[in-house]
Amino acid sequence: MSKSLYERIGGEAAVNAAVDIFYRKVLADDRINRFFETVDMEKQAAKQKGFLTFAFGGPHHYTGKDMRQGHAHLVKQGLNDSHFDAVMENLGATLKELNVPAELIAEAAAIAESTRNDVLGR
Amino acid sequence: MPQIRFENRTYALNGDESVLDGLTRQGVSIPSSCRSGICQTCLMRAVQGRPPADAQKGIKETLRERNFFLACACVPMEDMELSLPSDDDLPHIKARVVSKERLNHDIMRFRLRPAAEFNYRAGQFINLHHDDWVRSYSLASVPRGEDFLELQVQRLPGGRASGWLHDECKAGDELNLQGPLGDCYYTQSDVEQSLLLIGTGSGLAPLWGIARDALAQGHRGAIHLFHGSRTAAGLYLSDELRALTQAHANFHYTPCVSGPDAPDKIIQGRANAVALAQFPQLKNWQVFLCGNAAMVKSTKTKAFLAGAALKDIHADPFEFGVTPPREESAQAQG
Ligand code: HEM
């Protein structure tokens, strides 16, 4: 059997390397940072680890319903396709910065992209 | 099979069942989300027994040291007693006031002798219980070399607790403390790392402990302490801090006055702004932020954006005049 994307991308170590970079990009991105502003940055970073593990096809128990419920409060605040695109962009830029090969980036992007309707509550 | 104790009941776990699965199966609800050791929602603490290494992956060193772990990733190797993160289970301890000394017009130094051994890390805080109030105060003392606990209490306008401490509490009084709490303290991961310490008002208290603790532990990297006050009169411990710069070439002290009355040789500006202008690149730094909650919150984000890793940013925001805090959250003063 061929290795999973998660294994090929570097597993948990890759998630750990990516999370600060990704979270920093998101906080610096005026298109979306208002969704991520919180008093508890550790908790928020841990959630972004959940996001990255998901996008890397790693072990998780999130379902489409979880994605829908987990972002419903953001949809109420106006979360739409343009914000989703911004997150996709930050994900791609993070992996590029970590020198992840383009074809693996494309695979991760496809996994994240597959949640668009759930995340946006449609 | 290992057994776990939680809220005075004992639960048996099956084979390689995690604490989270075992408790959930037996009808105990623990906050959780990803169930894969990532999101840290199911953070718990081992009061007895050691959590396996796998259950502590990815959590902050300061939490790891105090036996916090993730319930979903914890398959116990031995019997354990667990609690959820809260300060209710911390011991109370009596301490006698041995001295009371004014540090400036609104900060009073108290030195206390605990009635029993009290283990803490410089920079942690205690809850002080008196009458019907509870307030948090940082420890300014260091556990190695000082046999007293030191508090530096700022008088707050109309503050009942700080008013009582300033006006009525006297040497010989016995105080009721609970603690230690908080995870804003120095852990030695790299002796060459640069440290940035920023505090406003009595936020200097924990930093005074942290800086001396790091030096006592042989820290060799630069230690930059910025203390901010609105007025020049609000600065304190300046002589002691200058003496520390004389004794240790790697220790640097920058007092800042944000109001218009900055005297000669004192930088005019907010301590956090001055510090970040001087050090715009914080990659591989350890950062300690104490004092005014709004300052701490905004500086935490800025330090992170300037390159400091989240695990290297330690914060102790002081909230004034709110109800007692919970562990890992803000300190309540007043
Ligand atoms: C690209 C597809 C996306 C995926 C796969 C995804 C996945 C996730 C996951 C797994 C979590 C952690 C949930 C938890 O464990 O509690 C999460 C949380 C979060 N996501 Fe997303 N997400 C996506 C898009 C977005 C977008 C577009 C935004 C906003 C611009 C966003 C904002 C957030 C926020 C703010 C949280 C934390 C929520 C909280 O505090 O409860 N996400 N996401």
Side-chain angles (χ1 to χ4, degrees):
Chain A
M1 219 184 91
S2 64
K3 280 189 163 184
S4 70
L5 172 64
Y6 187 67
E7 288 170 288
R8 282 177 289 142
I9 221 165
E12 196 185 326
V15 173
N16 288 337
V19 68
D20 270 16
I21 300 177
F22 175 73
Y23 187 25
R24 215 171 262 133
K25 286 195 191 303
V26 163
L27 281 182
D29 187 337
D30 288 334
R31 294 173 296 178
I32 50 173
N33 52 14
R34 66 188 169 96
F35 294 111
F36 294 85
E37 268 165 15
T38 159
V39 272
D40 196 332
M41 292 176 69
E42 275 82 18
K43 284 219 175 93
Q44 186 60 253
K47 296 207 161 148
Q48 300 322 309
K49 265 193 184 176
F51 163 73
L52 292 165
T53 307
F54 185 102
F56 295 176
H60 67 80
H61 291 87
Y62 297 116
T63 61
K65 193 163 150 254
D66 293 335
M67 286 298 114
R68 200 165 274 275
Q69 282 173 356
H71 297 88
H73 63 296
L74 306 175
V75 172
K76 279 209 195 88
Q77 295 168 39
L79 186 73
N80 63 33
D81 280 302
S82 72
H83 306 120
F84 193 95
D85 294 342
V87 165
M88 295 295 292
E89 210 179 292
N90 286 310
L91 174 65
T94 300
L95 297 182
K96 223 171 168 173
E97 200 170 314
L98 289 168
N99 295 319
V100 173
E103 63 279 12
L104 298 190
I105 299 182
E107 276 184 60
I111 295 176
E113 182 59 50
S114 73
T115 65
R116 186 181 287 259
N117 285 339
D118 283 322
V119 167
L120 298 180
R122 307 190 284 232
Chain B
M1 282 307 115
Q3 297 197 325
I4 52 178
R5 268 192 85 68
F6 177 64
E7 294 183 339
N8 295 319
R9 286 195 51 190
T10 303
Y11 301 89
L13 299 181
N14 293 332
D16 55 2
E17 200 173 33
S18 72
V19 167
L20 180 62
D21 287 342
L23 287 176
T24 309
R25 179 174 55 78
Q26 295 171 74
V28 183
S29 155
I30 301 292
S32 72
S33 179
C34 78
R35 292 186 287 130
S36 329
I38 305 159
C39 76
Q40 303 194 6
T41 307
C42 64
L43 192 69
M44 294 185 84
R45 179 176 189 180
V47 186
Q48 291 275 324
R50 276 200 63 79
D54 275 354
Q56 294 191 303
K57 266 205 236 158
I59 67 172
K60 267 183 109 145
E61 178 60 31
T62 48
L63 293 176
R64 208 175 314 162
E65 278 186 357
R66 285 179 294 139
N67 290 329
F68 282 88
F69 67 93
L70 303 177
C72 71
C74 179
V75 179
M77 315 290 285
E78 58 186 47
D79 289 356
M80 293 173 78
E81 183 174 341
L82 313 177
S83 70
L84 284 170
S86 102
D87 52 22
D88 301 340
D89 50 354
L90 279 165
H92 284 258
I93 179 173
K94 301 264 185 250
R96 202 167 286 286
V97 179
V98 290
S99 71
K100 176 178 178 181
E101 179 197 350
R102 183 169 291 288
L103 291 173
N104 71 16
H105 66 285
D106 72 355
I107 295 180
M108 195 75 85
R109 164 189 269 168
F110 291 86
R111 287 186 168 162
L112 318 173
R113 176 133 17 245
E117 186 169 288
F118 184 76
N119 290 310
Y120 69 101
R121 310 293 297 263
Q124 286 192 289
F125 62 93
I126 50 91
N127 283 342
L128 172 60
H129 295 249
H130 183 74
D131 283 348
D132 59 344
W133 52 257
V134 186
R135 293 291 187 280
S136 300
Y137 293 104
S138 292
L139 293 162
S141 44
V142 289
R144 265 166 290 227
E146 288 180 338
D147 60 356
F148 52 81
L149 304 177
E150 177 167 321
L151 314 179
Q152 297 171 357
V153 178
Q154 183 157 14
R155 183 198 281 277
L156 299 168
R160 267 209 307 151
S162 61
W164 179 79
L165 283 162
H166 273 246
D167 299 335
E168 286 170 56
C169 178
K170 55 188 186 313
D173 285 359
E174 192 174 67
L175 301 180
N176 177 7
L177 314 182
Q178 194 188 23
L181 297 111
D183 61 1
C184 183
Y185 56 80
Y186 173 78
T187 51
Q188 194 157 64
S189 45
D190 172 3
V191 289
E192 303 293 347
Q193 207 169 12
S194 299
L195 311 185
L196 180 60
L197 285 58
I198 306 175
T200 52
S202 57
L204 179 59
L207 299 181
W208 170 238
I210 291 166
R212 291 180 304 142
D213 187 42
L215 290 167
Q217 291 192 46
H219 193 83
R220 289 203 299 268
I223 304 175
H224 292 273
L225 188 154
F226 291 79
H227 182 218
S229 167
R230 201 167 47 74
T231 63
L235 297 171
Y236 67 99
L237 288 184
S238 298
D239 293 342
E240 288 91 334
L241 285 158
R242 289 207 183 87
L244 206 58
T245 64
Q246 297 296 314
H248 298 273
N250 59 335
F251 180 74
H252 309 274
Y253 163 57
T254 311
C256 306
V257 168
S258 61
D261 74 329
D264 268 7
K265 291 194 194 145
I266 300 275
I267 295 186
Q268 206 268 319
R270 291 182 185 276
N272 55 342
V274 172
L276 291 171
Q278 192 172 336
F279 300 108
Q281 222 342 304
L282 296 177
K283 198 169 176 194
N284 292 328
W285 285 58
Q286 289 235 21
V287 181
F288 297 85
L289 307 168
C290 304
N292 179 281
M295 181 288 285
V296 167
K297 178 173 181 282
S298 79
T299 311
K300 186 168 180 177
T301 309
K302 285 183 183 135
F304 177 63
L305 290 175
L310 263 191
K311 68 170 176 50
D312 288 333
I313 307 178
H314 312 273
D316 191 357
F318 296 0
E319 304 277 2
F320 295 105
V322 295
T323 44
R326 289 174 70 87
E327 182 156 19
E328 318 317 333
S329 67
Q331 285 195 37
Q333 304 203 335

